[in-house]
Amino acid sequence: MDRVMGNPQPEISRKCVWSLLAALLITLLVGLPQARAQAILEGERFHPVQGTQGMVATSHTLATEIALEVLENGGNAVDAAVTAGFALAVTQPRSGNIGGGGFMLYAPGDGGAPEAIDYRETAPAGATETMFQNADGEVVQQRSRFSHQAAGVPGTVAGLSLALERHGTISLEQALAPAIKLAREGFEVPRRFTEGLEQARERLERWPATKATFYNADGSAPQPGSVFRQPELADTLQRIADQGPKGFYEGETARLIVEEMQRHDGLITLEDLQTYQPAIREPVHGTYRGHDIYSMSPPSSGGTHIVQILNILEHYPIAELGHNSAATVHRMAEAMKLAYADRAKYLGDTDFVDVPVTGLTSKGYAAALQATIDPDRARPSSEISAGNPAPWESNETTHFSIVDRWGNAVSNTYTINFSYGSGITVAGAGFLLNNEMDDFSAKPGVPNAYGLIGGEANKIEPGKRMLSSMSPTIVRKDGRNYLVTGSPGGSRIITTTLQVLMNVIDHNMNIQSAVSAPRMHHQWLPDEIRMEQGFSPDTIELLEGLGHKVSISRAMGAIQSVLIGEDGTLYGGADPRRSTSAAMGY
Ligand code: DON
């Protein structure tokens, strides 16, 4: 295990200096030819949406339209993002939320320092390290995933409000108005909405408030084309519009949350809600072939490992090796294994544990790791069994990317963890609670729903944020915002985002091609490359020949991206993996 993880502590050595020089040389030799214009449209199979003044990519057409309207009316990217965040809580309740949390990355168009707003959920004060273990020390998944104890203290309302306060130009009331209207007057149900509720029926109808909120009186799911209204949610949102975040963390809504908890052995108290605080964090920063990569810092593992993997891959002429060729996929898989092994050991909430982010993201450490990769052989991940990985394939988080006419960029990923989170609706308040507590390590070495292993660094502690993989990312080129991206997908978020970065930077794809291209994933444990459909049998055979186990999986991630061309043209790429995804610009 240790051998695979290596030592990420920063170490100034001669070897490190040499690898830095080598990386610089490689960047100069291989990177520069890649620096040509991105938006190659003629002769391509996929075409991004184009605009000049503003661009929005979200996973729901209505949210995209509403956010674009904010931009057209003179609002900035943060105004549009906060408005979209609240709108998605209405139109896409399986992941859009006010009962969960997430991360927003903001990079001003004037080249000022990017900033991350961390509104991840926290463990309630009553949480304990072994709360999800039974008397025999076995993890009880039912409790960590589908009970009131699964819910962390929600951060979304505080996070979106803080973003608006710091960088917005419209009031919270204005940002909430479209969401309140959609909740009160209803919206036309897309097929995907109906399908989601049918798929999750068993899990959701157990809870009377969830059944009453999301299903018709006769128990059927709202049908495509019908109008779906959420009056209780409208009232809950109105209280936030009237009173600010206090309209959620105190007063009527807080009372309803706490009563819900008390009826079912839940842990969240009034004090947990009143004391919840979002945090301003410095994003993780790295470079890749002359581009500046900014992504989410702990308590997400996303940015750290995206930069770590890119640092390793920078040593290879990826463009020459070819997109999705066996040679490229092999190197990517080996680098991913190393990163996910480190994730399991080192990553957690930096308010509680020391995380060696500097070391993990250093070029020197990457050079040392890269030196251990055999180009001709897959290294077995470990002797440790991965347990029972990712049984919840229909999980859903949601990401949106927005750029305004001033070049300001917002990259936001938020979630209630699984599709529909815990499945529990706060009675009387009309919104679903997250089941984010499952992202903690319930017991060292026992995988969570995404097959991710953790230990000491990610153990449950009161007030602590559970480790995430969410990776809102912004790339700058020559000091200006260039690529805004991010994805849902649990453990696959990191690798999904990574591949869009590589598709643009290494393979020079336009943003829609980069988003649409088939993806692969390796997370150390289980020891297999997951691949979407679209890789050739020859490639798979070559990879198997190197010793990889390959499994063909369902589609991974739903990445929503915006790219800013050299002439300022905006290109939107919405992920076809979600039928409701939409990019729109003007
Ligand atoms: O924070 C995390 O990493 C997870 N709770 C995200 C869950 C997710 O992306 C689900 N779906 N696609």
Side-chain angles (χ1 to χ4, degrees):
M1 199 160 157
D2 275 324
R3 187 179 58 83
V4 180
M5 286 175 182
N7 174 13
Q9 302 300 337
E11 193 184 288
I12 306 298
S13 65
R14 198 174 301 161
K15 187 171 173 215
C16 174
V17 173
W18 277 117
S19 17
L20 277 172
L21 286 174
L24 192 70
L25 199 67
I26 289 169
T27 308
L28 285 173
L29 291 177
V30 182
L32 280 187
Q34 301 302 318
R36 58 201 165 94
Q38 280 302 318
I40 297 162
L41 300 177
E42 282 312 309
E44 296 241 354
R45 289 183 301 138
F46 299 102
H47 297 277
V49 172
Q50 295 188 49
T52 55
Q53 304 296 303
M55 183 64 64
V56 179
T58 86
S59 56
H60 200 286
T61 321
L62 282 174
T64 298
E65 278 171 5
I66 284 166
L68 193 69
E69 217 174 290
V70 174
L71 295 182
E72 283 171 336
N73 291 337
N76 67 19
V78 173
D79 297 328
V82 172
T83 307
F86 285 122
L88 283 161
V90 178
T91 61
Q92 193 172 278
R94 66 164 95 188
S95 55
N97 68 83
I98 54 171
F103 303 105
M104 181 183 287
L105 205 62
Y106 168 67
D110 63 7
E115 165 185 295
I117 298 181
D118 162 5
Y119 57 97
R120 181 72 161 165
E121 300 92 327
T122 53
T128 62
E129 189 180 339
T130 55
M131 64 185 276
F132 296 127
Q133 296 176 25
N134 64 18
D136 298 327
E138 291 157 350
V139 173
V140 185
Q141 290 178 348
Q142 177 63 25
R143 248 191 282 152
S144 71
R145 298 177 190 178
F146 305 115
S147 77
H148 286 65
Q149 295 190 2
V153 183
T156 297
V157 172
L160 295 182
S161 305
L162 182 64
L164 204 59
E165 197 182 302
R166 286 177 75 79
H167 305 292
T169 67
I170 62 172
S171 66
L172 193 56
E173 199 181 351
Q174 286 171 302
L176 275 153
I180 294 171
K181 188 164 188 274
L182 284 168
R184 191 148 335 263
E185 294 175 12
F187 60 92
E188 205 176 294
V189 168
R191 180 163 296 279
R192 183 160 189 272
F193 188 93
T194 309
E195 286 167 358
L197 287 169
E198 287 299 358
Q199 279 159 15
R201 176 182 283 282
E202 199 188 319
R203 194 150 68 75
L204 299 183
E205 36 175 48
R206 286 176 44 210
W207 305 101
T210 304
K211 193 171 176 192
T213 303
F214 295 104
Y215 295 88
N216 295 324
D218 66 359
S220 61
Q223 292 305 295
S226 66
V227 173
F228 179 66
R229 295 184 182 82
Q230 298 167 85
E232 287 180 345
L233 178 60
D235 290 345
T236 300
L237 294 170
Q238 188 62 55
R239 286 192 286 275
I240 305 169
D242 293 343
Q243 302 160 40
K246 281 191 176 169
F248 181 87
Y249 293 96
E250 296 176 25
E252 173 79 353
T253 305
R255 184 181 64 78
L256 290 168
I257 296 173
V258 172
E259 282 175 8
E260 179 71 41
M261 290 289 144
Q262 286 169 347
R263 276 194 300 273
H264 297 276
D265 234 7
L267 295 182
I268 300 174
T269 63
L270 218 46
E271 201 185 342
D272 287 323
L273 291 166
Q274 279 168 1
T275 54
Y276 179 84
Q277 286 296 334
I280 304 297
R281 310 227 183 247
E282 203 178 313
V284 169
H285 173 241
T287 61
Y288 186 60
R289 303 194 205 281
H291 297 72
D292 285 285
I293 315 291
Y294 295 92
S295 189
M296 197 56 220
S297 41
S300 179
S301 57
T304 303
H305 297 303
I306 286 175
V307 168
Q308 181 185 12
I309 297 169
L310 287 174
N311 280 342
I312 295 172
L313 294 175
E314 202 172 38
H315 290 264
Y316 300 109
I318 294 290
E320 271 168 49
L321 293 173
H323 176 249
N324 281 352
S325 67
T328 297
V329 170
H330 169 65
R331 284 157 181 78
M332 289 168 71
E334 294 301 291
M336 287 171 184
K337 280 185 216 174
L338 294 163
Y340 277 82
D342 281 346
R343 183 191 190 279
K345 181 165 177 181
Y346 297 110
L347 268 284
D349 179 355
T350 39
D351 289 347
F352 284 75
V353 291
D354 288 330
V355 178
V357 176
T358 310
L360 287 165
T361 57
S362 72
K363 298 281 186 197
Y365 179 51
L369 291 180
Q370 186 267 336
T372 69
I373 294 177
D374 185 337
D376 300 317
R377 190 183 69 92
R379 189 161 19 148
S381 283
S382 155
E383 311 311 320
I384 299 169
S385 139
N388 179 24
W392 297 98
E393 286 284 352
S394 69
N395 290 331
E396 181 159 317
T397 292
T398 193
H399 179 88
F400 49 86
S401 297
I402 300 178
V403 174
D404 65 24
R405 72 179 83 163
W406 301 280
N408 299 312
V410 171
S411 178
N412 188 91
T413 318
Y414 74 153
T415 187
I416 41 178
N417 198 18
F418 291 7
S419 263
Y420 310 101
S422 62
I424 298 166
T425 298
V426 177
F431 66 90
L432 285 158
L433 286 166
N434 68 83
N435 59 344
E436 219 77 65
M437 291 292 283
D438 190 64
D439 274 353
F440 276 118
S441 175
K443 189 181 177 182
V446 175
N448 76 355
Y450 306 101
L452 293 167
I453 315 273
E456 192 63 19
N458 190 32
K459 71 179 183 196
I460 305 172
E461 293 179 75
K464 188 177 181 182
R465 286 158 152 88
M466 54 296 283
L467 184 59
S468 174
S469 300
M470 289 188 278
S471 311
T473 298
I474 297 175
V475 178
R476 279 185 167 165
K477 199 158 109 178
D478 304 325
R480 68 176 188 93
N481 290 340
Y482 174 55
L483 172 58
V484 189
T485 191
S487 179
S491 56
R492 283 96 61 191
I493 292 173
I494 298 172
T495 48
T496 294
T497 309
L498 173 91
Q499 283 166 86
V500 168
L501 299 184
M502 293 178 71
N503 289 348
V504 169
I505 297 173
D506 286 307
H507 304 299
N508 211 29
M509 292 183 194
N510 78 44
I511 192 61
Q512 189 60 59
S513 302
V515 163
S516 303
R519 299 196 268 261
M520 50 74 66
H521 170 78
H522 200 307
Q523 61 178 52
W524 176 51
L525 296 174
D527 190 358
E528 63 177 20
I529 303 180
R530 289 174 61 139
M531 284 180 155
E532 292 182 336
Q533 281 182 357
F535 287 81
S536 77
D538 320 43
T539 305
I540 294 170
E541 209 177 302
L542 286 168
L543 287 164
E544 285 170 344
L546 293 171
H548 290 284
K549 179 172 181 286
V550 174
S551 74
I552 303 299
S553 80
R554 298 170 46 151
M556 295 186 271
I559 198 151
Q560 315 293 350
S561 309
V562 178
L563 187 140
I564 309 173
E566 273 163 23
D567 62 355
T569 305
L570 301 171
Y571 300 92
D575 201 323
R577 291 165 183 80
R578 293 274 186 281
S579 57
T580 50
S581 290
M584 295 180 199
Y586 78 111

